[in-house]
Structure formats: structure tokens, C-alpha cells
Amino acid sequence: MGNLIMSLTSKTILRAGAMASALIVTVPAHAALLDFNFAGPSGTAVFQLDSNATPDFAKTVIAGSDQFGFYNVAGTFGGINGTASTISFGTGIIATLNIVAPNLGFTQFSGSSSPLFSGTANNPTFNTGTFTLKNPFFGNGTLTVSKAAPPVPEPATWALLILGFGAIGATMRSRRDRKSTTVSYA
């Protein structure tokens, strides 16, 4: 009877431990990370944003013409890694895409073939696809928005995973090797 109680208690502890570790590892869902790849006559720009990132600013310039944007966006601009001071998107008479970045200058394009985002300027959700953007003075540009590849786990993450599996294996092995002893008083 004592072994049965001990066995049930150990199983309960293991289950509780497994549930606790699952809760610790659980990460809340977030928007998908998107790659933005722009190529135009003024140069190239490659950067990433969440599909429904919260903008640093949003404003309505004229009724039906909204603009929102992000400050200090890291990426590759004009072939050199750096930070764009501002990247903004717009609708209506506002430019569809503005990029202010070193090695690229001020890049402004309008008239995409389809909308770059849905929702409002305060709560946009980016669309994926290839968009043709126009600038009457410089020529056309192309913006491709696609889902980013999932990140590769760091070596420390792999080490912790292997260590955890090893600990589980050692625990299971030590449980198997234990011999039960019964004492009876006659």
C-alpha cells in the first residue's frame, strides 16, 4: 500500500512539473514577422515589421488620406546595414511608401497596384504580395512583402533542450533501477 501511495505521489509531482514547465515555455501568440524588400531607381531597402505592428505615429492629413509610420527601423538601406529614421505608409493623396534612410535619401512612391495594408492608420494589417509603386519623377519601384522565415534557435536553447531530455531520461532510469523492499512483522 505504501508503494502505491508513493507511486501515485511521484506521478502527481511529475505531472505537476510537466504542466508547470509547459506554462513557463508557453509564449503568447503575436503577429507574423514580415520581410519588406523594396527596389527602385533610388536604391534598395530591406527591413522587417510585424504584420499588424502598432505604428509610432498615425494621422489623417485630408479626409480619406491617412498616413502612419515607424521610427528607427533597422535594415539594409542602399546595400548597407543601418537604421531608417522614418518609414511611413499612406492612402489617398498621401504617398504609399516613404523611406528616409542613410544611403537611400528620401524615397517616396505612390499609386500601388493594390493596397499595402488593410484596417486603419491606427491599427493597420500589412498585406503580402508584390506591389508596383510609381514616382512620376524617378520611375517605378517594386515592394515585395512576404512572411519572414522562422528564426533558428540559438545554441543555448538547444543545449537547454538536450539537458532537459537528459534529466528526464536519468530520472526515468533511476526510477526503474529502484528495488522495492517490503517489511512485514509477523
Side-chain angles (χ1 to χ4, degrees), residues 2-127:
N3 287 340
L4 178 64
I5 291 172
M6 182 64 161
S7 177
L8 288 174
T9 304
S10 297
K11 287 181 181 177
T12 304
I13 291 171
L14 283 174
R15 284 187 188 135
M19 289 171 58
S21 61
L23 290 173
I24 291 170
V25 173
T26 302
V27 177
H30 63 84
L33 196 59
L34 298 177
D35 287 331
F36 289 75
N37 193 335
F38 171 78
S42 57
T44 61
V46 178
F47 56 94
Q48 291 184 329
L49 294 171
D50 275 346
S51 62
N52 62 345
T54 303
D56 293 328
F57 68 88
K59 58 186 173 184
T60 298
V61 179
I62 298 173
S65 296
D66 295 326
Q67 185 178 29
F68 66 91
F70 306 92
Y71 298 122
N72 303 318
V73 178
T76 303
F77 304 96
I80 298 174
N81 289 337
T83 302
S85 58
T86 307
I87 296 178
S88 62
F89 302 86
T91 61
I93 64 169
I94 303 300
T96 305
L97 174 65
N98 291 307
I99 301 174
V100 180
N103 306 312
L104 196 60
F106 177 72
T107 302
Q108 183 176 34
F109 286 86
S110 298
S112 97
S113 51
S114 58
L116 294 177
F117 64 94
S118 58
T120 65
N122 290 316
N123 190 20
T125 299
F126 289 104
N127 299 320

Side-chain angles (χ1 to χ4, degrees), residues 143-171:
L143 176 67
T144 302
V145 182
S146 59
K147 288 186 179 181
V152 176
E154 294 183 17
T157 303
W158 285 109
L160 283 173
L161 181 68
I162 292 168
L163 184 66
F165 282 137
I168 291 170
T171 302

Side-chain angles (χ1 to χ4, degrees), residues 160-182:
L160 283 173
L161 181 68
I162 292 168
L163 184 66
F165 282 137
I168 291 170
T171 302
M172 291 175 69
R173 184 176 179 99
S174 69
R175 294 177 129 250
R176 203 176 342 142
D177 291 343
R178 289 186 190 159
K179 298 187 191 271
S180 62
T181 306
T182 55

Side-chain angles (χ1 to χ4, degrees), residues 129-156:
T130 300
F131 306 91
T132 301
L133 305 173
K134 299 175 178 148
N135 183 311
F137 303 108
F138 303 114
N140 293 345
T142 302
L143 176 67
T144 302
V145 182
S146 59
K147 288 186 179 181
V152 176
E154 294 183 17

